[in-house]
Amino acid sequence: MGLFISNSATETEQFAEAAARRAQPGLVIGLVGDLGAGKTQFVKGFARGMGVGEPILSPTFPLVHIYSSGRLPLVHMDFYRLTGPNQIIAAGLTEYF
């Protein structure tokens, strides 16, 4: 995959939606960026491309949201408040990898 530079939330969602149509089981995508960088916008587009009909929420406080209404399960995690692998393990999130 090449470099994609988005100039708007709409472009980010459209790109992610197209990528989701090619997604296969086991795909893991890591998104890194400051608050407001568009990570959740990407997930919204990706979910739409997967056929998820539920509203997509940022998992900042619950750490994880699972959407199973699409063609594949979509697990949306946010590690923003976690400081390293030990906290990921302690939170029980390794079962999703």
Side-chain angles (χ1 to χ4, degrees), residues 1 3 5 22-23 33 39-40 45-46 48 52 56 58 74-75 79 82 88-90:
M1 180 184 281
L3 175 67
I5 298 174
R22 298 184 306 276
K39 299 178 299 292
T40 299
F46 197 87
R48 189 169 46 249
V52 174
I56 304 301
S58 179
L74 174 62
V75 179
F79 298 152
L82 305 181
I88 293 169
I89 293 166

Side-chain angles (χ1 to χ4, degrees), residues 61-79:
F61 295 105
L63 296 179
V64 64
H65 286 297
I66 301 170
Y67 302 96
S68 52
S69 63
R71 66 178 180 86
L72 296 171
L74 174 62
V75 179
H76 183 196
M77 293 184 276
D78 191 328
F79 298 152

Side-chain angles (χ1 to χ4, degrees), residues 4-19 21 36-49:
F4 172 76
I5 298 174
S6 175
N7 294 301
S8 70
T10 300
E11 284 184 11
T12 299
E13 288 189 33
Q14 289 172 344
F15 175 80
E17 185 175 352
R21 291 189 190 110
K39 299 178 299 292
T40 299
Q41 294 306 128
F42 181 94
V43 176
K44 286 179 180 181
F46 197 87
R48 189 169 46 249

